Structures are given as structure tokens and as C-alpha cells.
Amino acid sequence: MDFKTEKTEQYALVRLNEPTIGTENVEDFEKVVRSLFREGYSNIIVDLKTVQDVDSEGLGLIRKANKLCSNELGLFILVTKNEELIETLDASKISDLTIMPTIEEAVDAVFMNELENDFKEEEDDEMDDYGFGEMTEGEGSRNGGGDDD
């Protein structure tokens, strides 16, 4: 598989130089994605500039990679302007798949996602500070509905 990888602190960028993602190269592509994920990258941007087609095996890998990243609150972003390819990806109904027209927009999406995650963590911490994070089921109402009435 012909590709280049660029790594930053926030994301890894994979520039594919293949006409298709499918049977011939899906195993190699999966190795690349798994390797990046093991290195701690939950934000992976894949430049599909040269890719014209994705077969069912390629779609399966994209689905897995997207799920891996989203489970870690990251993003798996595909970059393409190819309308036919976008239609194929949309038709596959991969939940929360992010497709961007440029690498710059994909990088912006990564930073926005990181900010949103940081904001959510701060909100959770604030809730814990006020004791809301430690509530168990049944707590929170004055008349708890216990059997001692």
C-alpha cells in the first residue's frame, strides 16, 4: 500500500496514494490504522485525494476505524471532494462518519472536537464538585419514596 503518514500531537494524517480501498489493500490499511491507534492516536485523518472507489471490505474497515476513534472520543475523518465517493460513503450509513473537503477543515474539526471534549470534562468536574457526580439511584429527591412512611 502506498501512503505517507504525518503525526502531530493531536492527530495523525494518512495520505493514501491508491485508486481504491478494498480487497487488495484493506489488510495493509488496517495495519496502519491499528498501529496509529496503539500509538495513542484517536484522531486520524485520511486523505483520499487519489482514491476513486471503496469496496465493501474497505467500507467495513472504515466502519471499524471510525468506531475505534469515536469510542476514545476522537474522530476518524475522511478527506475527499469526489462526489461519487462521498455518495458511496453516505450510502454505507456509517454512524457519525466525518467527511471533509480539505485537510485544513479536517484539522479544524479535530481541534473543535478536542475543545468540546475538554469542555465536557470541565462540566463533569464541576458537577462532581457540587456532589452531583456521586449521586446514586434513588437519591436526589427529598421524599425518596422509601418504605419507612
Side-chain angles (χ1 to χ4, degrees), residues 59-60 62-63 66-67 89-97:
L59 290 171
I62 290 169
R63 182 174 278 110
N66 189 55
K67 184 135 179 90
L89 293 165
D90 284 343
S92 68
K93 305 234 186 278
I94 299 173
S95 178
D96 298 323
L97 180 63

Side-chain angles (χ1 to χ4, degrees), residues 10-144:
Q10 289 81 16
Y11 64 89
L13 170 63
V14 180
R15 295 178 188 265
L16 291 181
N17 192 18
E18 296 282 335
T20 186
I21 300 174
T23 307
E24 315 82 44
N25 59 14
V26 75
E27 286 183 30
D28 292 336
F29 188 37
E30 183 171 6
K31 287 177 187 174
V32 170
V33 171
R34 287 190 182 279
S35 173
L36 291 170
F37 195 74
R38 280 191 209 111
E39 290 177 41
Y41 290 99
S42 59
N43 293 306
I44 301 173
I45 300 170
V46 182
D47 184 2
L48 302 177
K49 183 189 283 186
T50 63
V51 175
Q52 300 300 312
D53 189 40
V54 179
D55 72 11
S56 60
E57 287 187 48
L59 290 171
L61 173 58
I62 290 169
R63 182 174 278 110
K64 279 192 240 178
N66 189 55
K67 184 135 179 90
L68 274 175
C69 291
S70 65
N71 283 347
E72 296 297 319
L73 302 178
L75 290 174
F76 185 77
I77 304 173
L78 302 178
V79 177
T80 184
K81 292 180 182 176
N82 181 326
E83 290 298 325
E84 290 177 24
L85 186 57
I86 292 170
E87 287 177 24
T88 299
L89 293 165
D90 284 343
S92 68
K93 305 234 186 278
I94 299 173
S95 178
D96 298 323
L97 180 63
T98 305
I99 303 170
M100 294 286 182
T102 67
I103 292 171
E104 291 78 19
E105 288 177 86
V107 170
D108 288 347
V110 166
F111 285 110
M112 288 299 294
N113 187 59
E114 292 290 315
L115 286 172
E116 288 174 12
N117 289 339
D118 290 346
F119 183 71
K120 287 176 188 171
E121 283 179 19
E122 286 177 20
E123 277 186 343
D124 290 346
D125 288 345
E126 286 177 13
M127 294 297 281
D128 287 344
D129 289 345
Y130 293 108
F132 292 113
E134 300 168 12
M135 287 178 35
T136 60
E137 191 173 326
E139 289 183 20
S141 72
R142 292 187 77 118
N143 301 328

